[in-house]
């Protein structure tokens, strides 16, 4: 990894870890699994990131925050062993690929008070662990709102692509990022060598061990009946997911994969404008099509070889969810063996009415903007389309 780094750059593993330890007063990061991922990420940022000055500041701040969270999580577990002795009960995980309706499905299911959902504010600052008495008034909610407003000012329009907020559920990529095995870095920055390692080489077992520790800390003083989680990234590592959570249930959303490629390329091109000198939809599409095809194929293999246990998967098509969300959600509950009660249903309807799809604008994208060959990509996605009976859409 022979990359020349500026002498004044703070983007080095020693500098980043030293800053995290200085700011927390802690030094135990737990198992050393995080080091390989951070080494690869930092190398890729220097060699391929094409970072602006703002981009380097963003990268440094983000990495230090994840290191600080890791230090806090490990410290709480050491001082209170009962945290790690607690069970993470049979989580439900929404795992469809990006742009397949996972966000609206997750947000609606999160309105059911029986689910414990990791909210954006508590994932961003898990120290001290949240408590029931102050869960809705914690000052960290305001901190998260300020951070979001700042992010939107630096990169306007992101809310129209991916609605978020301090009181909405956060994705698991923001948790596994503490082990530096996370597609979050691949969406925020141009780090193709890191991303290829993550998709094809990285052992994800340690990321899920850390994921469990994180959830155990969040639930310690504010528990729920059952965790509800979400991340498209789970689709790439279903073996590691079920090894850690053998009684999990996955809800996989499905959509024409060519629409997914087009939307993901648009999303990542927009995201990376904040940190990178040059970005384009065709560049993103050329990189991401490989990851997305691999993730879809792995989800098929995981069903065929029993990696996903019988009865532990619910499938939901994007078109059905958009056409009738209420019938779709009722079907999800039925397949999970749960009852959708009136309290949850009413809360979901209120949220849906308050958060229309165009609340922050409309995300427009076309497959033609990717520069990819329709026939070639369609050939590569046929296995997934056939297995899950996914309908093709008009591409534009």
């Amino acid at each position: 990894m022979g990359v020349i780094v500026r002498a004044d750059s703070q983007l080095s593993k020693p500098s980043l870890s030293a800053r995290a330890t200085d700011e927390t007063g802690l030094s135990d990061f737990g198992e050393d699994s995080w080091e390989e991922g951070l080494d690869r990420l930092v190398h890729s940022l220097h060699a391929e990131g094409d970072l602006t000055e703002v981009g380097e500041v963003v990268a440094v701040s983000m990495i230090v925050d994840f290191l600080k969270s890791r230090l806090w999580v490990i410290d709480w577990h050491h001082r209170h062993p009962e945290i790690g002795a607690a069970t993470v009960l049979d989580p439900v995980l929404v795992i469809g690929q990006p742009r397949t309706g996972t966000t609206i499905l997750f947000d609606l299911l999160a309105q059911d008070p029986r689910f414990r959902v990791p909210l954006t504010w508590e994932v961003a600052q898990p120290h001290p662990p949240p408590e029931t008495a102050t869960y809705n008034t914690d000052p960290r909610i305001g901190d998260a709102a300020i951070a979001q407003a700042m992010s939107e000012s630096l990169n306007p329009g992101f809310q129209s692509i991916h609605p978020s907020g301090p009181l909405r559920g956060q994705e698991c990529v923001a948790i596994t990022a503490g082990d530096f095995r996370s597609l979050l870095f691949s969406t925020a920055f141009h780090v193709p060598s890191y991303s290829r390692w993550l998709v094809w080489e990285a052992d994800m077992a340690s990321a899920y061990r850390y994921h469990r520790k994180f959830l155990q800390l969040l639930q310690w003083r504010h528990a729920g009946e059952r965790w509800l989680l979400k991340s498209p990234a789970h689709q790439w590592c279903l073996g590691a997911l079920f090894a850690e959570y053998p009684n999990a249930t996955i809800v996989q959303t499905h959509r024409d994969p060519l629409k997914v490629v087009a939307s993901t390329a648009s999303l990542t091109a927009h995201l990376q404008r904040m940190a990178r000198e040059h970005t384009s939809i065709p560049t993103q599409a050329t990189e991401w099509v490989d990851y997305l095809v691999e993730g879809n194929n792995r989800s098929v293999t995981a069903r065929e070889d029993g990696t996903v246990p019988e009865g532990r998967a619910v499938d939901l098509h994007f078109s059905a969810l958009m056409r009738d969300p209420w019938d779709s959600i009722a079907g999800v509950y039925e397949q999970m063996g749960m009852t959708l009660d009136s309290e949850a249903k009413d809360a979901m309807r209120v949220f849906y009415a308050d958060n229309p799809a165009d609340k922050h604008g409309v995300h427009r994208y076309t497959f033609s903007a990717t520069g990819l060959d329709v026939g070639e990509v369609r050939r590569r996605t046929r296995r997934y389309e056939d297995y899950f009976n996914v309908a093709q859409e008009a591409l534009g």
Side-chain angles (χ1 to χ4, degrees):
M1 297 187 180
V3 175
I4 297 175
V5 180
R6 291 196 333 267
D8 63 341
S9 176
Q10 299 180 54
L11 194 54
S12 69
K13 190 175 77 174
S15 176
L16 294 163
S17 57
R19 180 170 159 186
T21 58
D22 288 346
E23 293 183 12
T24 61
L26 303 170
S27 60
D28 186 353
F29 290 96
E31 62 177 302
D32 62 5
S33 55
W34 63 278
E35 297 197 52
E36 181 182 12
L38 182 54
D39 277 333
R40 289 179 178 274
L41 176 62
V42 168
H43 176 269
S44 188
L45 284 167
H46 283 295
E48 305 159 316
D50 193 27
L51 292 175
T52 62
E53 289 185 16
V54 170
E56 182 165 337
V57 171
V58 169
V60 167
S61 177
M62 181 184 293
I63 292 170
V64 169
D65 283 346
F66 287 127
L67 287 169
K68 287 164 63 177
S69 287
R70 185 180 181 97
L71 287 165
W72 285 325
V73 169
I74 299 303
D75 182 63
W76 278 99
H77 273 265
H78 282 334
R79 290 190 290 116
H80 299 275
E82 68 272 21
I83 296 174
T87 302
V88 175
L89 287 174
D90 304 350
V92 174
L93 300 102
V94 178
I95 70 151
Q97 284 203 332
R99 329 312 298 160
T100 63
T102 56
T103 298
I104 185 58
L105 177 62
F106 182 50
D107 283 338
L108 290 174
L109 294 177
Q111 305 313 304
D112 188 331
R114 291 172 293 180
F115 285 127
R116 172 69 166 95
V117 181
L119 299 184
T120 296
W121 71 265
E122 59 181 329
V123 173
Q125 296 188 63
H127 162 75
E131 300 190 25
T132 299
T134 56
Y135 193 70
N136 296 315
T137 59
D138 194 293
R140 287 170 289 184
I141 297 171
D143 294 342
I146 292 170
Q148 179 185 315
M150 184 178 298
S151 177
E152 183 70 12
S153 69
L154 289 172
N155 199 355
F158 179 61
Q159 285 290 314
S160 68
I161 302 175
H162 184 75
S164 58
L167 295 175
R168 293 173 82 152
Q170 179 59 281
E171 297 194 18
C172 294
V173 287
I175 296 176
T176 59
D179 199 54
F180 295 93
R181 285 164 165 77
S182 174
L183 280 172
L184 179 149
F185 301 115
S186 305
T187 57
F189 306 105
H190 181 62
V191 284
S193 62
Y194 168 83
S195 302
R196 289 192 295 271
W197 167 77
L198 183 69
V199 171
W200 281 283
E201 298 178 41
D203 181 350
M204 293 299 292
S206 64
Y208 283 98
R209 289 194 295 271
Y210 178 72
H211 182 272
R212 177 185 289 275
K213 287 181 179 293
F214 204 106
L215 295 184
Q216 287 171 324
L217 181 63
L218 294 187
Q219 74 182 17
W220 182 38
R221 293 174 175 169
H222 184 66
E225 291 184 28
R226 191 174 187 182
W227 277 103
L228 174 69
L229 308 165
K230 178 246 185 177
S231 177
H234 293 306
Q235 198 177 118
W236 280 263
C237 32
L238 290 166
L241 168 64
F242 277 98
E244 190 65 36
Y245 301 115
N247 293 320
T249 296
I250 59 170
V251 181
Q252 185 173 353
T253 50
H254 301 283
R255 188 183 186 186
D256 184 339
L258 272 69
K259 294 288 283 190
V260 172
V261 170
S263 185
T264 302
S266 174
L267 165 69
T268 54
H270 184 98
L271 267 177
Q272 292 179 19
R273 290 188 317 193
M274 184 167 63
R276 189 180 175 196
E277 290 284 0
H278 307 286
T279 188
S280 71
I281 291 174
T283 300
Q284 294 301 309
T286 299
E287 178 184 352
W288 274 87
V289 66
D290 292 339
Y291 309 151
L292 295 168
V293 168
E294 178 70 11
N296 277 335
N297 285 339
R298 287 187 193 178
S299 74
V300 174
T301 300
R303 301 293 184 93
E304 292 177 334
D305 68 9
T307 295
V308 177
E310 187 71 26
R312 291 292 178 180
V314 177
D315 294 301
L316 177 60
H317 288 258
F318 176 79
S319 57
L321 179 62
M322 295 298 101
R323 183 173 59 251
D324 189 340
W326 314 118
D327 184 62
S328 296
I329 289 172
V332 169
Y333 271 74
E334 182 179 358
Q335 291 186 67
M336 291 193 301
M338 295 179 64
T339 300
L340 178 58
D341 60 31
S342 58
E343 180 185 6
K345 191 182 303 183
D346 290 346
M348 291 178 191
R349 289 186 180 277
V350 169
F351 180 90
Y352 193 74
D354 290 344
N355 294 275
D358 60 355
K359 182 174 183 177
H360 300 287
V362 178
H363 178 210
R364 302 188 187 282
Y365 54 91
T366 62
F367 187 84
S368 60
T370 69
L372 299 173
D373 180 81
V374 173
E376 171 63 15
V377 179
R378 190 67 77 190
R379 179 189 64 78
R380 297 179 64 189
T381 61
R382 185 167 295 122
R383 181 188 178 205
Y384 163 78
E385 291 178 34
D386 289 349
Y387 187 87
F388 289 109
N389 193 28
V390 178
Q392 297 181 6
E393 301 179 40
L395 297 178

